[in-house]
Amino acid sequence: MKMSKLVYSLGVLMCLAFAKAYSQQPIESVLSKEDAVKLMLENNYGIKIAENTTKIAENNSGILNSGYLPSLQGTAGASKDENDSRTDFNGALDQNGDPRPDIEINDAQTTQYNAGLNLNYTLFDGLGRLYNYKRLQEQFALSQLEARSTIETTTVQLMSVYLEVARITENVKVFEQNLEISKKREERAQYQFEYGQANKLEVLNAQVDINTDSINIMNSLQQLRNTKRDLNLLLNRELNASFAVDTTVTLQSLLVIDSFLEKVPENNVRLLQSETSLQISDYDIKTTRALLLPRIGLTGSYGWNRTENPPSAFFPATTRTASNVAIGANLTWDIFDGGSSINNLRNAKIAYENEALFKSQMEQEVARDVANAKGNYMNALAIYRMQEQNVLTNKSNFERTQEQFKLGQVSSVEFRQAQVNLLNAETVKNLAKYDAKLAEYQLLQLAGQILNVAL
């Protein structure tokens, strides 16, 4: 029996030691919401990838990819031929009547040089490149909206984890205060036992509650460390970097929220994306229709040649240089290409109809999501207000029970129950507070204002 009591006492002391060690951490610098968002924008992998994708789309939308600039091609070449020759006159006589000697020429070199420029420019292509250029501009705008969507989604995800760190931080403080209450109760029970005013059971019950409260702190601190690592991962920094968070929660005015919701069609990123995609489909139709029209182009060329010929049996060495300039125009019209252009035009029109249907569907989905999000926000806000009142009620009940416990008018079980009720009310209030703030963030994201308001 004595051994079991000793083991139990050691267990209580160990829990107290762990709780004290974990709770007495060095003061950490506060990572504000604004700093967290700044680090996210600078370091988050998903946002970096989205930004690089936007840069590619921006490059593609520039004049260098528009088809409006001419193409200029330069060519140059050089060649050298080396020949050996022998000319036999077959007994022919020269002017003196003597047989003409054979003429032998070795290592005779013929050298040729050439250079040229070729210019091609499309004057008219049925306005295809105009609409293609506008399409690329819309593609760039769409990539910007996709990057914005990534940033908004990551911001809400970041704030969700940030709020969870804040909630657990506040819970740890509540558990620590609860542990202090249990310690004072155990001290009181110990004094009463020593002076014969209480039995040993009161002391043991107090020690059991201290053990339970210490375990709650240990579990919460471990959960806090894990959640901080989740936040560091989103910020793409050292996973075990130590920091504290701002637990202050300021909820937006309902009038401000309603003013944001009135402009959802103008600011919601999903609706803007669907509108841009519809415009791209319209340009696809016009670009395809341009294939049915003729194309007019200009061509120009400049050439330069130089040939150096060696001497031959009958002629001396010569050098020939020539240059030429040519300008032309061409007309190309695919009067009938087997029907592929007509078929592509039909498909482009169907694709446009699909995008229009998708836009209508998206409008309904966003309207539903906004209604649900606002309902969730109002419900979370009401629950938070009720939980605030619930904490006040439980706190008043605990204080009265504590006074009665000191006077011996209530039992330790009733005191502990009041203590646990207050603990639960405070932790539930913390949960309701941060749930309401997260619901507000989600509503602001749908309104397209998450990046424009103070977090």
Side-chain angles (χ1 to χ4, degrees):
M1 186 67 178
K2 291 182 178 180
M3 181 60 70
S4 62
K5 289 183 179 180
L6 178 60
V7 173
Y8 175 79
S9 299
L10 288 175
V12 172
L13 292 174
M14 289 180 63
C15 288
L16 288 171
F18 278 122
K20 184 177 181 180
Y22 287 137
S23 60
Q24 294 180 347
Q25 297 292 332
I27 297 176
E28 300 168 318
S29 60
V30 176
L31 176 67
S32 66
K33 299 182 183 70
E34 292 75 16
D35 290 339
V37 172
K38 182 180 179 181
L39 288 172
M40 177 199 72
L41 293 175
E42 293 175 354
N43 301 326
N44 183 268
Y45 285 121
I47 292 177
K48 285 186 174 181
I49 292 173
E51 289 175 346
N52 286 337
T53 302
T54 301
K55 291 178 181 178
I56 293 175
E58 183 180 11
N59 292 336
N60 290 336
S61 66
I63 190 67
L64 296 178
N65 195 45
S66 65
Y68 276 103
L69 299 179
S71 64
L72 181 64
Q73 183 182 38
T75 60
S79 64
K80 179 179 289 188
D81 295 334
E82 188 172 294
N83 297 296
D84 296 333
S85 64
R86 180 185 177 87
T87 303
D88 187 352
F89 291 96
N90 296 320
L93 302 177
D94 59 14
Q95 60 184 357
N96 296 322
D98 298 323
R100 299 189 63 176
D102 296 340
I103 300 176
E104 185 175 349
I105 301 176
N106 295 320
D107 300 326
Q109 294 183 351
T110 301
T111 305
Q112 293 182 333
Y113 304 96
N114 65 82
L117 292 174
N118 295 295
L119 177 69
N120 289 279
Y121 184 67
T122 301
L123 286 177
F124 179 76
D125 65 345
L127 300 179
R129 61 183 174 182
L130 171 65
Y131 294 121
N132 184 61
Y133 179 68
K134 291 183 176 181
R135 181 184 183 279
L136 292 173
Q137 293 288 325
E138 292 296 328
Q139 285 281 9
F140 174 47
L142 181 60
S143 70
Q144 288 180 311
L145 291 172
E146 291 171 348
R148 172 186 157 187
S149 177
T150 300
I151 293 174
E152 289 183 353
T153 301
T154 308
T155 299
V156 174
Q157 183 183 5
L158 174 71
M159 287 298 103
S160 174
V161 180
Y162 188 97
L163 292 177
E164 182 66 6
V165 173
R167 183 187 72 84
I168 299 172
T169 299
E170 290 204 331
N171 281 353
V172 169
K173 293 179 181 179
V174 172
F175 289 138
E176 289 175 344
Q177 294 170 359
N178 197 56
L179 177 61
E180 289 300 318
I181 293 173
S182 296
K183 286 181 179 180
K184 291 179 181 179
R185 174 186 156 208
E186 193 267 343
E187 290 176 1
R188 178 183 177 83
Q190 191 69 40
Y191 288 141
Q192 289 177 334
F193 172 72
E194 292 176 356
Y195 289 100
Q197 297 177 357
N199 56 32
K200 187 64 175 177
L201 183 61
E202 290 291 333
V203 178
L204 294 177
N205 286 338
Q207 290 177 344
V208 169
D209 293 336
I210 288 175
N211 188 24
T212 300
D213 295 340
S214 301
I215 292 174
N216 287 337
I217 294 176
M218 293 173 62
N219 288 334
S220 295
L221 287 170
Q222 180 59 39
Q223 185 182 7
L224 180 60
R225 286 191 292 271
N226 292 342
T227 311
K228 284 185 176 181
R229 292 190 189 98
D230 293 337
L231 189 60
N232 284 329
L233 179 64
L234 286 172
L235 300 178
N236 188 22
R237 63 178 190 170
E238 205 278 316
L239 293 178
N240 292 317
S242 180
F243 62 92
V245 297
D246 183 7
T247 58
T248 304
V249 170
T250 304
L251 296 170
Q252 293 283 347
S253 168
L254 290 177
L255 292 177
V256 174
I257 295 292
D258 288 337
S259 67
F260 289 155
L261 295 181
E262 291 176 356
K263 298 182 180 179
V264 167
E266 303 171 16
N267 297 320
N268 180 272
V269 68
R270 290 158 61 190
L271 293 180
L272 294 176
Q273 284 177 305
S274 64
E275 177 65 32
T276 304
S277 296
L278 184 64
Q279 185 62 58
I280 290 174
S281 292
D282 181 58
Y283 287 138
D284 284 338
I285 294 175
K286 294 177 179 178
T287 302
T288 306
R289 186 180 288 123
L291 297 176
L292 302 176
L293 299 176
R295 296 178 295 280
I296 301 174
L298 286 178
T299 60
S301 65
Y302 170 78
W304 175 84
N305 294 274
R306 176 185 175 89
T307 304
E308 297 177 357
N309 296 310
S312 65
F314 305 100
F315 299 100
T318 61
T319 299
R320 182 175 181 274
T321 303
S323 62
N324 69 288
V325 177
I327 299 177
N330 57 70
L331 172 68
T332 304
W333 193 354
D334 295 330
I335 299 176
F336 184 72
D337 61 356
S340 61
S341 297
I342 297 175
N343 186 66
N344 291 337
L345 180 60
R346 291 173 178 173
N347 290 338
K349 291 180 178 179
I350 296 174
Y352 178 84
E353 292 177 3
N354 284 341
E355 286 294 339
L357 292 173
F358 179 76
K359 182 175 181 293
S360 299
Q361 180 186 8
M362 184 61 65
E363 290 172 348
Q364 286 188 330
E365 291 181 356
V366 170
R368 176 206 62 191
D369 293 343
V370 169
N372 290 345
K374 184 176 181 181
N376 292 339
Y377 176 64
M378 299 301 295
N379 187 64
L381 197 59
I383 291 175
Y384 172 50
R385 301 306 181 197
M386 294 174 65
Q387 291 298 339
E388 281 186 317
Q389 185 60 45
N390 193 32
V391 168
L392 295 177
T393 302
N394 278 278
K395 187 175 182 179
S396 177
N397 178 65
F398 172 73
E399 290 174 350
R400 297 179 64 179
T401 303
Q402 189 177 40
E403 292 298 324
Q404 292 177 345
F405 178 70
K406 292 178 180 179
L407 298 174
Q409 296 177 355
V410 297
S411 65
S412 60
V413 175
E414 292 173 310
F415 175 80
R416 178 63 178 179
Q417 186 59 51
Q419 181 185 2
V420 171
N421 289 342
L422 177 58
L423 172 68
N424 292 337
E426 289 178 332
T427 56
V428 171
K429 186 206 74 171
N430 288 338
L431 177 61
K433 177 173 66 173
Y434 292 111
D435 279 349
K437 190 61 179 178
L438 180 59
E440 179 186 289
Y441 286 145
Q442 293 169 340
L443 189 57
L444 290 173
Q445 180 187 10
L446 287 169
Q449 298 294 334
I450 188 67
L451 302 178
N452 301 325
V453 297
L455 298 175

PDB file of all heavy atoms in Angstrom, residues 88-94 97-101:
ATOM      1  N   ASP A  88      46.234  19.030-123.004  1.00  0.00           N
ATOM      2  CA  ASP A  88      47.056  18.411-124.056  1.00  0.00           C
ATOM      3  C   ASP A  88      46.507  18.865-125.414  1.00  0.00           C
ATOM      4  O   ASP A  88      45.327  18.659-125.710  1.00  0.00           O
ATOM      5  CB  ASP A  88      46.989  16.891-123.936  1.00  0.00           C
ATOM      6  CG  ASP A  88      47.954  16.193-124.894  1.00  0.00           C
ATOM      7  OD1 ASP A  88      48.555  16.875-125.735  1.00  0.00           O
ATOM      8  OD2 ASP A  88      48.079  14.971-124.754  1.00  0.00           O
ATOM      9  N   PHE A  89      47.340  19.460-126.246  1.00  0.00           N
ATOM     10  CA  PHE A  89      46.893  20.004-127.534  1.00  0.00           C
ATOM     11  C   PHE A  89      46.943  18.967-128.660  1.00  0.00           C
ATOM     12  O   PHE A  89      46.692  19.290-129.822  1.00  0.00           O
ATOM     13  CB  PHE A  89      47.740  21.218-127.916  1.00  0.00           C
ATOM     14  CG  PHE A  89      47.502  22.396-127.022  1.00  0.00           C
ATOM     15  CD1 PHE A  89      48.334  22.634-125.941  1.00  0.00           C
ATOM     16  CD2 PHE A  89      46.428  23.237-127.243  1.00  0.00           C
ATOM     17  CE1 PHE A  89      48.122  23.716-125.118  1.00  0.00           C
ATOM     18  CE2 PHE A  89      46.220  24.316-126.406  1.00  0.00           C
ATOM     19  CZ  PHE A  89      47.065  24.577-125.337  1.00  0.00           C
ATOM     20  N   ASN A  90      47.374  17.766-128.383  1.00  0.00           N
ATOM     21  CA  ASN A  90      47.335  16.656-129.345  1.00  0.00           C
ATOM     22  C   ASN A  90      48.108  16.974-130.649  1.00  0.00           C
ATOM     23  O   ASN A  90      47.625  16.784-131.761  1.00  0.00           O
ATOM     24  CB  ASN A  90      45.902  16.274-129.712  1.00  0.00           C
ATOM     25  CG  ASN A  90      45.149  15.737-128.508  1.00  0.00           C
ATOM     26  OD1 ASN A  90      45.722  14.980-127.696  1.00  0.00           O
ATOM     27  ND2 ASN A  90      43.894  16.128-128.383  1.00  0.00           N
ATOM     28  N   GLY A  91      49.328  17.478-130.515  1.00  0.00           N
ATOM     29  CA  GLY A  91      50.211  17.731-131.666  1.00  0.00           C
ATOM     30  C   GLY A  91      49.954  19.023-132.406  1.00  0.00           C
ATOM     31  O   GLY A  91      50.530  19.251-133.471  1.00  0.00           O
ATOM     32  N   ALA A  92      49.042  19.845-131.891  1.00  0.00           N
ATOM     33  CA  ALA A  92      48.767  21.118-132.574  1.00  0.00           C
ATOM     34  C   ALA A  92      50.032  21.989-132.553  1.00  0.00           C
ATOM     35  O   ALA A  92      50.838  21.920-131.621  1.00  0.00           O
ATOM     36  CB  ALA A  92      47.609  21.819-131.868  1.00  0.00           C
ATOM     37  N   LEU A  93      50.182  22.793-133.616  1.00  0.00           N
ATOM     38  CA  LEU A  93      51.379  23.595-133.773  1.00  0.00           C
ATOM     39  C   LEU A  93      51.110  25.030-133.346  1.00  0.00           C
ATOM     40  O   LEU A  93      49.999  25.555-133.495  1.00  0.00           O
ATOM     41  CB  LEU A  93      51.842  23.576-135.227  1.00  0.00           C
ATOM     42  CG  LEU A  93      52.154  22.182-135.817  1.00  0.00           C
ATOM     43  CD1 LEU A  93      52.539  22.308-137.304  1.00  0.00           C
ATOM     44  CD2 LEU A  93      53.266  21.497-135.016  1.00  0.00           C
ATOM     45  N   ASP A  94      52.125  25.639-132.785  1.00  0.00           N
ATOM     46  CA  ASP A  94      51.971  27.051-132.441  1.00  0.00           C
ATOM     47  C   ASP A  94      52.270  27.903-133.658  1.00  0.00           C
ATOM     48  O   ASP A  94      52.492  27.387-134.774  1.00  0.00           O
ATOM     49  CB  ASP A  94      52.889  27.407-131.271  1.00  0.00           C
ATOM     50  CG  ASP A  94      54.360  27.150-131.570  1.00  0.00           C
ATOM     51  OD1 ASP A  94      54.701  26.950-132.748  1.00  0.00           O
ATOM     52  OD2 ASP A  94      55.173  27.155-130.606  1.00  0.00           O
ATOM     53  N   GLY A  97      55.210  27.038-135.792  1.00  0.00           N
ATOM     54  CA  GLY A  97      55.213  25.729-136.430  1.00  0.00           C
ATOM     55  C   GLY A  97      55.718  24.619-135.553  1.00  0.00           C
ATOM     56  O   GLY A  97      55.893  23.495-136.017  1.00  0.00           O
ATOM     57  N   ASP A  98      55.959  24.940-134.273  1.00  0.00           N
ATOM     58  CA  ASP A  98      56.412  23.903-133.331  1.00  0.00           C
ATOM     59  C   ASP A  98      55.216  23.302-132.578  1.00  0.00           C
ATOM     60  O   ASP A  98      54.191  23.980-132.360  1.00  0.00           O
ATOM     61  CB  ASP A  98      57.392  24.510-132.322  1.00  0.00           C
ATOM     62  CG  ASP A  98      58.648  25.054-133.001  1.00  0.00           C
ATOM     63  OD1 ASP A  98      59.087  24.419-133.970  1.00  0.00           O
ATOM     64  OD2 ASP A  98      59.148  26.100-132.506  1.00  0.00           O
ATOM     65  N   PRO A  99      55.332  22.043-132.194  1.00  0.00           N
ATOM     66  CA  PRO A  99      54.223  21.449-131.411  1.00  0.00           C
ATOM     67  C   PRO A  99      54.003  22.224-130.108  1.00  0.00           C
ATOM     68  O   PRO A  99      54.956  22.602-129.418  1.00  0.00           O
ATOM     69  CB  PRO A  99      54.702  20.028-131.147  1.00  0.00           C
ATOM     70  CG  PRO A  99      55.713  19.743-132.203  1.00  0.00           C
ATOM     71  CD  PRO A  99      56.406  21.060-132.468  1.00  0.00           C
ATOM     72  N   ARG A 100      52.754  22.490-129.812  1.00  0.00           N
ATOM     73  CA  ARG A 100      52.432  23.243-128.590  1.00  0.00           C
ATOM     74  C   ARG A 100      52.622  22.355-127.363  1.00  0.00           C
ATOM     75  O   ARG A 100      52.187  21.207-127.345  1.00  0.00           O
ATOM     76  CB  ARG A 100      50.989  23.752-128.620  1.00  0.00           C
ATOM     77  CG  ARG A 100      50.739  24.707-129.787  1.00  0.00           C
ATOM     78  CD  ARG A 100      49.385  25.365-129.658  1.00  0.00           C
ATOM     79  NE  ARG A 100      49.292  26.189-128.457  1.00  0.00           N
ATOM     80  CZ  ARG A 100      48.250  26.935-128.148  1.00  0.00           C
ATOM     81  NH1 ARG A 100      47.182  26.939-128.964  1.00  0.00           N
ATOM     82  NH2 ARG A 100      48.246  27.660-127.043  1.00  0.00           N
ATOM     83  N   PRO A 101      53.319  22.897-126.357  1.00  0.00           N
ATOM     84  CA  PRO A 101      53.533  22.072-125.148  1.00  0.00           C
ATOM     85  C   PRO A 101      52.239  21.965-124.308  1.00  0.00           C
ATOM     86  O   PRO A 101      51.348  22.819-124.383  1.00  0.00           O
ATOM     87  CB  PRO A 101      54.619  22.841-124.404  1.00  0.00           C
ATOM     88  CG  PRO A 101      54.424  24.257-124.827  1.00  0.00           C
ATOM     89  CD  PRO A 101      53.959  24.212-126.261  1.00  0.00           C
TER      90      PRO A 101
END
